[in-house]
Amino acid sequence: MNRLKYIVKRVLMSVPVLWLGTSMTWFIIYQGPVDPAANLLSGNERLTEAKYEAARTELGLDQPPVQHYVDWMWNLFTLDLGQTWLVYTGSNVGALVLDFLPRTVWLGFWSVLIAICIGVPLGFYAGIRSNTVADYIASVSGIVWRAMPNFWLAVILLALLVGSEPLFGFDWDTFLVDLPSGVTGNPGLSYMAGDPLALFTQPGETLAAIKKILPAALVLGSASMGNEMRIGRTAVLETKNEQYVDFARARGVSGRAIVWKHVFRNALVPLVPVITTEAFLLIGGSVLVESVFGINGMGKLFFDAAIQGDLPLVGSLMFVFIVLMLVINIAQDILYTLIDPRVGYDGA
Amino acid sequence: MATQFNTYTEGEAAPLRDRVMANPRPAAVWVGVAAVLFGLQAGAVVQFLAALLVDAVAALPGITVPAGVAALDRAADAVPTLLSRETIPNRGYYDGGGYVGTFLGLSPDLAWLLRVTLIYAYSFAALAWVWVGYERYRTHYRIADWTPRDDVIDRFRGHKWGLFGVVVVAMFFVMVLFAPALSPTTTAANLENPYQHEVTYWADGETRTVTVGQANLGSQSQGTPQENVGPMQYDDYGRIHPFGTLPSGKDLFTFIAHGSRISLIIGLVSVGLSVSIAVVLALMTAYYKGKIDLGAVLVSDAVMGMPQLLLLIMLSVILSGTWVGKIYSGAFVLALIFAGTGWPAMWRSFRGPALQVSNREWVDAAKSFGQTPGTIMRKHMLPYITGYVLVYGSMTLGGAIIAIAGLSFLGLGVNPPTPEWGRAVNAGQDYVTTASWHISLIPGILITLVVTGFNALGDGVRDAIDPESDAEDQGGASGRGGGA
């Protein structure tokens, strides 16, 4: 019961955050120094008063600001995201998002998984063998890996994979699974349309889609990988020196059992909020990684909308991103309470 | 040596001047060294201040630099200094028998290396001088034999990782300060007006003259071994390029050295602003709690709910056309945006420690004595969170440098021709596996190194202030710029 209460409270807390974030976005876009209506018209059209007025009416800018604000918010909260103007002109934003979102989710999923699968074991390894040469190498490379800019890493990795034949002696494009379109481009997820089980029934397609996203996911997960390694190492170090570990050792529990049963399980707890912060890195970083690897995901869509000045689209997408972040955060807070029942029912 | 134990405070003791008079030798030697160090560089200091003034005036919209200010800048330029391009020139030419116009007739690469070595040697000597000054004060003139801060400094001295950070950060700062003197050529010739400057070179048995712009066209790095000028190579016009050239033929080292200035200025301004907002807010919320705290939680959650990099992109697009967006090639508005989006994460990190301090008995005692809230916050709470401020400030600075480079990489950050590291990475994107690998690789390695340095410095400070704490582990992502 207590837990349910906490979850309800957590969800309720996110409502004002969603409202505030969306309002700020509206204010920046529609009350900011740029006129969105003028921005949407190209050179010739901008000169004709009629076209400009039509655009203002279309965007609802002829209404008083309060009325426009209420309309805009109402449309967003009823998930009517409107039409695009410049990017894929005239398409329905909702449909566009549904079209682009799976690629970003696919990218995010694999980058979290890669980060966890490499970062956590490496951190635990370094923590158990603390102050050995292996620990120093693992720690320093984790720190350096974390300091590398994503966009630069993406550029370098992309170049290495494109030129993999002469450099490494094998061609990445045909390695294991054939990728006819090369390293860049969208992962082929369309085989799953209408049939999510195809993920398992058509392993060939799945493998190709994984291979396609792998370089981008590695780059996107790189920062979190370093974080997880650091935290994992510290957590193991701290747990190792706890009294109950000494006690277990004194009772003659084998070293292996101590590590697996006592140290690892407790060291996992501080790693959960690290995964939470990853949501921020993933969604923000997807812009850079997607544009370098040519993946048409949400980040690329947002970036295109921003540089082409399609401000209404920027606003709608920002709303989608805020919702995404809130959902991920709530999910991870709930996960946290499941792993460690002592954590914050009355805090947060 | 102050061997006897005294309980009086600094204010009650004999003035520092009397203590120095009683034992003048260490101080005199120290001041003597200072005079020599300063004398070598007096011209540079004057010139730096004059250039700063010119930049500040030029940054204001709608104002041309007044003639008087410009004249002051030129006059300052004429003061000879040890570590300038003019004292140790590397821009000479070969006239068939030897080099003309370079330092002592050395080849340009040696002359350049000599200058760089001297600049770094000088800077580290200056740093050592500051350190010796502190040590002399501590052993000869300070009344207290021991203060808690001594422990912090001694712990930091033994922290190898932190010292590595200090060295890297110091080298970065030297690059920022001495960018014009370190570069093999000037920004005016390299980036701004290449067709108004000339270069003399030796070809086919005679010396010829050509404009820098023309020479640049002949020294582009575009991937093929024929069209490439790599690190420490000469181009066809006898110019040395320590990091090679850009695809446009401009010198990459000059670009990077001057780009470091803009990175650091944006970083310092934005981190300074967001730290101030975060500290004031943390003190207020910790002191008053209740509704103020709740409001701050909501606002910060809402700002943090929008991914920082996306917010940066949105705001820089919207503000780019306004007058704020034009100050300092768009760098100023970036710093503002970064501060505006960065404070919530910092406030979150300061809030915990500030709340802890606000519950201590000395705060209650101060309240009961009738001290004003402002005084209590400043005198009794602030000192306990300055450590966190240093740690987070240093780590966020690294994150800011990455984020701004990321924006420039996307073509959104600082406007050309003002150099920025991210733009160099972007320019070299297509050439990573070709002969012109240096264009993307070198700026990226430098960003990684500088950010690692700032993080290491932060780690060192954290361990020195409180060896038990794990401040950074609370918000693991503080060292990153919104995922750039």
Side-chain angles (χ1 to χ4, degrees), chain B residues 340-382:
Chain B
T341 54
W343 66 264
M346 260 192 208
W347 169 69
R348 276 301 170 85
S349 332
F350 300 155
R351 183 173 168 253
L355 272 173
Q356 271 176 9
V357 176
S358 73
N359 291 331
R360 294 293 178 80
E361 53 273 28
W362 64 76
V363 173
D364 283 338
K367 272 185 210 167
S368 67
F369 281 132
Q371 276 192 339
T372 60
T375 317
I376 295 176
M377 285 180 215
R378 211 175 52 245
K379 284 198 161 164
H380 303 295
M381 291 167 67
L382 184 60

Side-chain angles (χ1 to χ4, degrees), chain B residues 90 108-109 112-113 115-116 182-185 229-235 239-245 250-256 437-438 442:
Chain B
N90 68 313
D109 54 352
W112 178 80
L113 273 176
R115 196 166 73 220
V116 170
L182 281 172
S183 313
T185 177
V229 182
M232 283 320 277
Q233 279 179 9
Y234 288 96
D235 60 15
R239 300 179 298 175
I240 178 71
H241 295 288
F243 285 173
T245 59
K250 292 172 175 177
D251 182 56
L252 181 59
F253 189 94
T254 309
F255 188 91
I256 285 180
W437 49 267
H438 57 270
I442 291 177

Side-chain angles (χ1 to χ4, degrees), chain B residues 410-425:
Chain B
L410 288 172
L412 283 174
V414 183
N415 305 323
T418 308
E420 216 294 327
W421 293 8
R423 199 129 36 69
V425 176

Side-chain angles (χ1 to χ4, degrees), chain B residues 58-75:
Chain B
L60 299 172
I63 296 176
T64 50
V65 180
V69 178
L72 178 69
D73 190 27
R74 273 195 301 280

Side-chain angles (χ1 to χ4, degrees), chain B residues 86-404:
Chain B
E86 288 74 29
T87 316
I88 310 176
N90 68 313
R91 288 281 308 284
Y93 56 92
Y94 188 72
D95 70 347
Y99 281 99
V100 179
T102 60
F103 182 66
L104 297 178
L106 286 168
S107 60
D109 54 352
L110 286 181
W112 178 80
L113 273 176
L114 179 69
R115 196 166 73 220
V116 170
T117 317
L118 268 181
I119 289 173
Y120 274 98
Y122 176 87
S123 312
F124 279 96
L127 274 182
W129 166 77
V130 171
W131 173 247
V132 168
Y134 166 77
E135 287 236 294
R136 295 203 160 187
Y137 170 73
R138 190 167 146 181
T139 42
H140 296 290
Y141 303 118
R142 198 174 65 187
I143 296 167
D145 279 328
W146 178 88
T147 69
R149 233 159 250 153
D150 289 356
D151 274 1
V152 172
I153 285 167
D154 289 343
R155 271 199 294 268
F156 194 88
R157 282 172 78 180
H159 198 285
K160 287 203 187 74
W161 179 237
L163 289 179
F164 164 78
V166 171
V167 170
V168 171
V169 170
M171 289 185 79
F172 178 65
F173 272 85
V174 171
M175 185 184 241
V176 169
L177 268 179
F178 288 93
L182 281 172
S183 313
T185 177
T186 58
T187 41
N190 190 48
L191 303 167
E192 288 151 15
N193 297 311
Y195 286 95
Q196 285 170 12
H197 292 80
E198 289 188 329
V199 53
T200 310
Y201 66 105
W202 174 258
D204 305 329
E206 54 176 343
T207 54
R208 298 178 184 180
T209 310
V210 70
T211 62
V212 173
Q214 208 83 48
N216 284 348
L217 288 179
S219 32
Q220 295 171 331
S221 291
Q222 299 199 323
T224 57
Q226 292 79 36
E227 273 205 272
N228 181 50
V229 182
M232 283 320 277
Q233 279 179 9
Y234 288 96
D235 60 15
D236 296 343
Y237 304 90
R239 300 179 298 175
I240 178 71
H241 295 288
F243 285 173
T245 59
L246 287 160
S248 58
K250 292 172 175 177
D251 182 56
L252 181 59
F253 189 94
T254 309
F255 188 91
I256 285 180
H258 287 269
S260 68
R261 292 191 147 181
I262 214 152
S263 299
L264 186 72
I265 289 172
I266 300 178
L268 283 180
V269 170
S270 61
V271 171
L273 277 177
S274 45
V275 159
S276 341
I277 301 174
V279 165
V280 170
L281 209 58
L283 292 176
M284 301 269 286
T285 53
Y287 186 83
Y288 292 109
K289 304 188 182 73
K291 288 211 176 83
I292 291 185
D293 191 38
L294 189 69
V297 167
L298 282 181
V299 174
S300 72
D301 269 0
V303 176
M304 288 208 294
M306 297 187 258
Q308 195 185 12
L309 195 67
L310 301 191
L311 204 54
L312 279 171
I313 291 175
M314 183 168 91
L315 283 169
S316 62
V317 165
I318 284 177
L319 294 176
S320 61
T322 60
W323 65 270
V324 201
K326 295 207 173 66
I327 299 178
Y328 201 14
S329 308
F332 181 68
V333 76
L334 271 187
L336 282 189
I337 298 172
F338 205 83
T341 54
W343 66 264
M346 260 192 208
W347 169 69
R348 276 301 170 85
S349 332
F350 300 155
R351 183 173 168 253
L355 272 173
Q356 271 176 9
V357 176
S358 73
N359 291 331
R360 294 293 178 80
E361 53 273 28
W362 64 76
V363 173
D364 283 338
K367 272 185 210 167
S368 67
F369 281 132
Q371 276 192 339
T372 60
T375 317
I376 295 176
M377 285 180 215
R378 211 175 52 245
K379 284 198 161 164
H380 303 295
M381 291 167 67
L382 184 60
Y384 291 87
I385 58 171
T386 44
Y388 292 89
V389 171
L390 280 176
V391 175
Y392 282 95
S394 146
M395 301 215 171
T396 317
L397 200 58
I401 290 174
I402 289 191
I404 285 145

